[in-house]
Amino acid sequence: MAIDCAAVFQALPGAVALMTPDLVFADANLAWLHQAGRSRDQVVGRYLFDAFPGSPRDPAASGARHLEAPLRAVLANREIDTMDLQRYDVESAQRPGQWEERYWSSVNAPVFAPDGHIALVIHRVEEVTELLRAASRPDGSGDARTRETPGCPEPIRFPGP
């Protein structure tokens, strides 16, 4: 039985995009496109920060810097890189010009060509905005862990055991 790798990629339950070493989108699966609120035509063939420019609410472009550094680390170190939770606001697809605060958990991994060079970077993301909002709501239980997370405006509370 032959395996249709393209169909498997599209059916993955996690949100995955493939980028070239120049950070140009080579492909993205349906889960990633849904999570990003974009169509394949809006991302494939585009440079990461052209497809997702930094928010004008972040004049220091810290979100872009914090996203680019781990991607470059994958290329330099030739190994998987797991990012800290990252705030990266995204322009609304339904309301151009309006930006939505978003938090992401990402893992980036190299894909090696037969000759050993890095052909692609896998960019697996999970939007965790609602999870963080829910975890930071005061619930009155007093039984929670607090975690300082770079890029997040305040400590995040996680329910304790």
Side-chain angles (χ1 to χ4, degrees), residues 73-158:
V74 166
L75 296 167
N77 301 331
R78 302 173 56 83
E79 60 187 32
I80 294 172
D81 185 275
T82 302
M83 295 174 56
D84 289 332
L85 291 180
Q86 171 67 43
R87 178 179 173 175
Y88 194 89
D89 296 350
V90 176
E91 186 174 13
S92 171
Q94 291 75 31
R95 297 179 313 276
Q98 292 189 11
W99 293 79
E100 299 171 347
E101 180 178 304
R102 301 264 186 97
Y103 292 88
W104 307 90
S105 171
S106 301
V107 177
N108 304 299
V111 176
F112 296 98
D115 68 1
H117 80 274
I118 296 176
L120 294 168
V121 175
I122 297 171
H123 180 58
R124 197 269 319 147
V125 298
E126 180 179 0
E127 185 190 350
V128 294
T129 307
E130 289 306 315
L131 176 66
L132 293 180
R133 287 180 182 150
S136 65
R137 287 187 193 110
D139 61 359
S141 73
D143 186 20
R145 299 180 313 221
T146 300
R147 178 176 173 200
E148 297 285 338
T149 305
C152 292
E154 57 189 53
I156 300 166
R157 293 168 36 99
F158 294 92

